[in-house]
Amino acid sequence: DLQTGNLTGKLGFDFSQVRSREVSHWFKITGTQYLASISGFHLNIVVRFFRNIFSGFLKNKFLNLISLLVSSFYLLSIGPKIPLVRAFLMLLFSIISTKFLLRQNNSIHSLFIVGLLLIYNDISAINSISFQLSFVATASIIFFTKNIYARC
């Protein structure tokens, strides 16, 4: 069924070019259009899925390698969308800092460095609503999570 294929492609791989009017209409009516957007959260779901599959019989070192391979494949299959690149680079920095440099990961510093890298790569990215929302939302999550844990 073409409509089911459109919905599956849209949810799994953000194939907006195959979006039909009916699928878009139902996303609007149900208020679930955010499910069809690609974000760092989607990358997190995919990486955690594969980590959970292999966690029973692989060491943490190999799980980190699998995380990088899966996220690289996902990034290449979806394309370089700003939220996805941000999430991938933050994952990469986290693994490098904790496993290779043996330092605690600082999410705010990673977010700042990733932002600078993306702006350096394409200065017009700073005007993108995708860039702004991705970084503001991620910074808010980091900030508020630390404050909530500090109060507990």
Side-chain angles (χ1 to χ4, degrees), residues 25-69:
H25 173 72
W26 281 107
F27 272 119
K28 272 187 181 176
I29 287 176
T30 59
T32 56
Q33 59 266 42
Y34 71 92
L35 289 174
S37 64
I38 295 297
S39 67
F41 181 67
H42 291 96
L43 180 67
N44 185 17
I45 290 171
V46 171
V47 168
R48 285 189 184 268
F49 174 77
F50 282 98
R51 281 185 69 101
N52 287 341
I53 288 175
F54 294 110
S55 65
F57 52 90
L58 289 178
K59 294 182 180 181
N60 200 24
K61 179 179 13 176
F62 295 111
L63 289 176
N64 290 327
L65 180 62
I66 286 174
S67 297
L68 288 176
L69 291 174

Side-chain angles (χ1 to χ4, degrees), residues 76-119:
L76 291 173
S77 65
I78 299 295
K81 299 186 183 226
I82 290 175
L84 198 57
V85 172
R86 179 206 43 80
F88 173 76
L89 289 175
M90 288 188 71
L91 173 68
L92 180 67
F93 289 157
S94 174
I95 290 173
I96 288 172
S97 67
T98 57
K99 303 304 174 198
F100 297 110
L101 301 177
L102 303 175
R103 300 183 65 127
Q104 185 175 356
N105 183 37
N106 187 326
S107 300
I108 291 292
H109 290 159
S110 295
L111 184 65
F112 180 74
I113 291 169
V114 168
L116 287 177
L117 287 172
L118 288 175
I119 292 169

